[in-house]
Amino acid sequence: MTNSETILVFDSGLGGLTVLREVVAARPGAHYVYVADDAFFPYGHHDEAEIIARVVPLMGELIGTHDPDLVVIACNTASTLVLSHLRAAYSVPFVGTVPAIKPACAQSRTRRVSVLGTKGTVKREYTKALIRDFAQGCEVTLVGSPELASLAEAELRGLPVSDEALAAELAPCFVGDPADATSRTDTVVLACTHYPLLLDRLRRLAPWPVDWIDPAPAIARRVSDLLGPRIGALAQSGAEMIFTSNRAHGLSAMLTPFFGGRAVA
């Protein structure tokens, strides 16, 4: 045993594993608790008041049980709604996940950026405020995908997901003349942590090449900044996977790469 810090990573389902993977790489000696709120998945099918009423007390229970040094809310939908409530209620540091509109617009050459998220995330005032503050003259297209998060979970579990289903969710992101590379969409923000699970297929199905913006590396840097330098041993600590439905995960082989190669309890 080491005096490892404990980092709790929370998502509505398995999409937050894409964030976990980056955080584990940045803090390899930490103890990790990953919580998938599958009993309430997908969050995009619930209204704002329901999500707040669900997540705030649930987080209190999780903090009481696991005593984390830091909590990552690895879910855009929850972060855009609940972060302020969580920070008001609990003293533990929280790191959220919000659409990476600022870096996307800063790097876009054609000034056409699309934000691909859940329906809930793209309609939030929080997201619209990010566009007002950071669009920098870009034309930003908001695309609310009804099914892509569920398709990502299915893919991760080894279930068949057709190219046609993915292409239909992706198509509205691509704006402009396909033949004119100077005026069409050149950057897509992945505003749901589930979507990077499908990134290889999204790249292949895209009607033209674009830059895909995944916020996970920036989240990992923020976690390390808040926790500061590690003192003492960096021996790999434990890892736990918890479903709020209380079902056994049965996913050990699939989860191992996300947890930095360690066995998952």
Side-chain angles (χ1 to χ4, degrees):
M1 294 294 291
T2 69
N3 58 342
S4 298
E5 63 209 3
T6 295
I7 299 173
L8 191 150
V9 178
F10 178 89
D11 184 31
S12 60
L14 298 177
L17 292 171
T18 63
V19 175
L20 173 76
R21 179 171 52 199
E22 297 294 329
V23 177
V24 170
R27 308 295 289 197
H31 176 87
Y32 286 92
V33 180
Y34 185 96
V35 179
D37 189 15
D38 64 323
F40 213 60
F41 178 83
Y43 279 10
H45 290 181
H46 300 280
D47 65 32
E48 297 183 7
E50 288 175 328
I51 295 171
I52 294 168
R54 166 72 177 181
V55 174
V56 175
L58 174 59
M59 188 56 61
E61 295 173 14
L62 293 170
I63 290 170
T65 300
H66 300 285
D67 191 25
D69 295 279
L70 181 143
V71 176
V72 179
I73 305 299
C75 173
N76 284 265
T77 300
S79 293
T80 56
L81 276 178
V82 186
L83 265 180
S84 61
H85 299 273
L86 294 175
R87 287 171 173 153
Y90 310 112
S91 59
V92 62
F94 288 90
V95 176
T97 307
V98 298
I101 291 166
K102 182 178 181 179
C105 291
Q107 75 173 48
S108 174
R109 299 168 299 282
T110 66
R111 319 306 292 156
R112 280 193 167 178
V113 171
S114 291
V115 178
L116 178 62
T118 65
K119 285 187 171 183
T121 293
V122 301
K123 75 179 183 182
R124 299 274 181 264
E125 176 56 31
Y126 192 110
T127 303
K128 295 173 183 175
L130 289 174
I131 294 172
R132 288 195 300 270
D133 292 343
F134 300 118
Q136 304 175 49
C138 286
E139 176 186 319
V140 179
T141 300
L142 292 171
V143 179
S145 169
E147 299 299 335
L148 200 55
S150 295
L151 293 173
E153 293 239 345
E155 171 98 347
L156 191 61
R157 296 175 186 278
L159 301 175
V161 175
S162 71
D163 283 353
E164 291 76 16
L166 295 180
E169 301 289 310
L170 194 59
C173 294
F174 289 82
V175 178
D177 183 353
D180 182 4
T182 66
S183 64
R184 67 194 185 192
T185 302
D186 72 348
T187 307
V188 176
V189 176
L190 298 175
C192 172
T193 55
H194 281 79
Y195 299 169
L197 294 169
L198 294 165
L199 186 52
D200 288 345
R201 294 188 67 185
L202 298 182
R203 285 193 177 112
R204 179 167 57 81
L205 293 169
W208 59 77
V210 295
D211 291 328
W212 303 87
I213 306 298
D214 176 3
I219 294 167
R221 290 193 294 271
R222 179 60 177 158
V223 168
S224 271
D225 288 345
L226 285 174
L227 290 174
R230 281 291 294 134
I231 299 172
L234 281 176
Q236 191 180 83
S237 189
E240 300 174 61
M241 178 81 181
I242 297 167
F243 287 99
T244 57
S245 64
N246 293 320
R247 64 185 174 89
H249 61 74
L251 300 169
S252 294
M254 178 274 290
L255 293 172
T256 299
F258 293 99
F259 282 89
R262 70 193 76 188
V264 184

